Amino acid sequence: MPKIVFTEPGGARREIAAPLGITLMEVARQHGVQGVVAQCGGACACATCHVYIDPAWAARLPPREEMEEAMLETAWEPRDNSRLSCQIHITADLDGLEVAVPQKQGS
Amino acid sequence: MISTILIVGGGQAGAQAIDTLRREGFGGRLVLIGDEPELPYQRPPLSKKYLSGEMAADRLPFRHRSFYEDHRVELKLGRRAARLDAAARQLELEDGETLSYDRLLLCLGAASRRLTCPGAALPGVRYLRALEDVPPIQSACKPGARVVVIGGGYIGLETAATCLKMGCAVTVLEMADRVMNRVVAPCVSEYFALEHRTHGVNVICDMRVTRLDGGDRVEWVTCADGSRHPADLVIVGVGAVATTELARAAGLDCDDGIVVDEYCRTSDAAIYAAGDCTNHPSPRFGRRVRLESVDNAFEQAKSAALNLLGRRMAHDRVPWFWSDQFDNKLLIVGLSQGYDRQVLRGDPAARIFSVCYLKGRELLAVEAVNHSKDYMAARKLIAERAMLDPDKLGHSDLALKEAV
């Protein structure tokens, strides 16, 4: 299973083995990664699973779709490497992915 | 000193309360009692991707079991709370175990409203609310099976769309003159009815079911106009009622839900409540509400957890809701009651539009169809009690936040 490294808002690093086929948000939530709220459970309806993808990785992910783009616009401190973690599916080539969780979720 | 907190109800609210209590430093005994045997899980997929088989069961729980172990939560799942003695601060489970508490949090949820017409108890008449409701529906949803859905609300329509995808012939019978009539504007109802019909769902409004008939299982649904609809499976989605029996029997104030104040306190100082089961004040909208939503369960549980630890934090949020039907996303934010003007933004024919509800110039609510931008902007504007210009609002090429 690919390993994903989350950096929580407090600075703690969590390395988690992620099963294939689920989303980055689900990995974070199942393991209680702090700051990934994910209220809607992946319906792209709440923008509370916002994360920053390590810039070295950002370009290697499938690009944001229109809906995700619109949701991120009003997220707390969006950046170029912002993503909704519910829209990223775990694949084998994400082994080693580094993800930082913002200090806040919501607008 | 609070050394023991009991949470009754393992849904969205109960799961969230655990999270907040531990995160906020509660180090005492924390017990979760739930009558369902599963770890707390998400309900929204039950009518959608879980029903269709696209989503595996292991993706439903919010957290892995290890999360509860790591956070020292005693799970008493598959155990029903039978009796509450508020004066003695004791909760008795159905199996006889008695638990004492310093604070109790009731997250009892809501239950499907039952059909009461003749034949309602026939086998093959199903409700969709819990994980255990899904397998019998799945096994009946064979390609070609005739499914009659009673009720054209969120659950009814989502389930209809899913059953159709599974190859069933689906009829929706709605008593009102349009689908989702309690929650959306007429043009949104029309849009969704058309979407369903285009995909092949037989949506019939103004249709009151009077009886169900069959031999050893349901075979026919009969309506007030005399029409009869053949059915291999009937799915009933006619709303939900707050689960209050435990609270009521213990003498807590209940009135369409367990009555709580803005700090999520019930009429007993040691007992709090959160989620679908509560009737609570909404300071933002100036009245009491009972909301059935993931958002409210989540946010109110968070507030309740903070308040039962002694932090005073009023629960005052702008509620939001969503529904997925076919490839459409309906996003609703705010409460539209009391509006004096509706403004349509965009064109339903373009499959992306929204309806704004204003009281004077104040934005109360927005229903957005495939329009995440308007929805997200509205969440902010409604919370800020923003005043908008209704004329500018009608120009859909102008961003919602610019319509001030």
Side-chain angles (χ1 to χ4, degrees), chain A residues 21-22 26 29-32 34 37 39-41 43-47 67 70-71 73-74, chain B residues 23 42 58-59 62-64 67 294-295 298-299 320 322 324 329 331 372-373 375-376 379:
Chain A
I22 72 173
E26 289 176 291
R29 190 173 62 178
Q30 288 171 355
H31 293 271
Q34 273 202 37
V37 177
Q39 267 194 53
C40 77
C44 211
C46 71
M67 192 158 56
M71 301 298 288
E73 231 175 73
T74 44
Chain B
R23 197 153 290 179
Q42 315 167 65
D58 61 3
R59 293 175 70 181
F62 296 108
R63 311 281 195 200
H64 277 168
F67 174 86
V294 162
D295 156 59
F298 183 99
E299 294 293 350
W320 55 270
W322 87 92
D324 292 319
K329 191 171 296 292
L331 297 162
S372 306
K373 235 180 197 139
Y375 163 73
M376 288 304 284
R379 284 178 63 155

Side-chain angles (χ1 to χ4, degrees), chain B residues 15-138:
Chain B
Q16 182 52 40
I18 286 171
D19 207 74
T20 305
L21 287 169
R22 284 301 189 221
R23 197 153 290 179
E24 293 296 319
F26 174 64
R29 185 184 184 203
L30 183 54
V31 187
L32 178 72
I33 299 123
D35 51 12
E36 292 181 73
E38 298 88 6
L39 287 174
Y41 63 88
Q42 315 167 65
R43 289 185 201 282
L46 298 185
S47 55
K48 311 177 191 95
K49 285 187 172 165
Y50 182 67
L51 175 60
S52 69
E54 285 166 78
M55 184 177 182
D58 61 3
R59 293 175 70 181
L60 285 179
F62 296 108
R63 311 281 195 200
H64 277 168
R65 191 170 288 277
S66 59
F67 174 86
Y68 300 96
E69 289 159 7
D70 294 347
H71 289 78
R72 294 179 298 109
V73 180
E74 285 177 51
L75 296 175
K76 294 186 186 291
L77 302 174
R79 313 270 303 270
R80 192 178 295 271
R83 209 177 64 86
L84 170 59
D85 184 340
R89 296 194 178 178
Q90 283 190 331
L91 179 75
E92 190 186 321
L93 307 188
E94 208 169 45
D95 52 25
E97 184 179 356
T98 299
L99 298 156
S100 297
Y101 61 83
D102 299 303
R103 293 288 181 276
L104 174 68
L105 176 58
L106 300 174
C107 303
L108 305 176
S112 303
R113 178 172 285 124
R114 298 276 148 172
L115 209 59
T116 54
C117 68
L122 278 169
V125 179
R126 298 285 177 187
Y127 296 81
L128 182 49
R129 182 113 203 136
L131 200 47
E132 65 172 9
D133 299 329
V134 176
I137 294 177
Q138 276 173 330

Side-chain angles (χ1 to χ4, degrees), chain B residues 4 53 100 133 204 264 402:
Chain B
T4 300
S100 297
D133 299 329
I204 310 174
C264 314
E402 307 298 334

Side-chain angles (χ1 to χ4, degrees), chain B residues 61-218:
Chain B
F62 296 108
R63 311 281 195 200
H64 277 168
R65 191 170 288 277
S66 59
F67 174 86
Y68 300 96
E69 289 159 7
D70 294 347
H71 289 78
R72 294 179 298 109
V73 180
E74 285 177 51
L75 296 175
K76 294 186 186 291
L77 302 174
R79 313 270 303 270
R80 192 178 295 271
R83 209 177 64 86
L84 170 59
D85 184 340
R89 296 194 178 178
Q90 283 190 331
L91 179 75
E92 190 186 321
L93 307 188
E94 208 169 45
D95 52 25
E97 184 179 356
T98 299
L99 298 156
S100 297
Y101 61 83
D102 299 303
R103 293 288 181 276
L104 174 68
L105 176 58
L106 300 174
C107 303
L108 305 176
S112 303
R113 178 172 285 124
R114 298 276 148 172
L115 209 59
T116 54
C117 68
L122 278 169
V125 179
R126 298 285 177 187
Y127 296 81
L128 182 49
R129 182 113 203 136
L131 200 47
E132 65 172 9
D133 299 329
V134 176
I137 294 177
Q138 276 173 330
S139 60
C141 279
K142 302 249 180 336
R146 295 161 305 178
V147 176
V148 174
V149 176
I150 301 178
Y154 289 140
I155 299 270
L157 292 179
E158 288 175 2
T159 308
T162 306
C163 291
L164 193 88
K165 262 202 278 187
M166 295 165 81
C168 303
V170 184
T171 299
V172 174
L173 304 173
E174 166 57 49
M175 192 163 76
D177 61 350
R178 58 189 179 89
V179 297
M180 299 190 285
N181 73 311
R182 289 188 314 125
V183 287
V184 297
C187 67
V188 178
S189 293
E190 241 168 74
Y191 176 88
F192 278 94
L194 181 62
E195 278 293 299
H196 278 263
R197 288 181 182 127
T198 307
H199 279 88
V201 177
N202 182 20
V203 178
I204 310 174
C205 294
D206 283 316
M207 198 51 77
R208 190 166 59 84
V209 171
T210 52
R211 60 179 299 122
L212 309 181
D213 294 289
D216 52 1
R217 55 183 297 113
V218 68

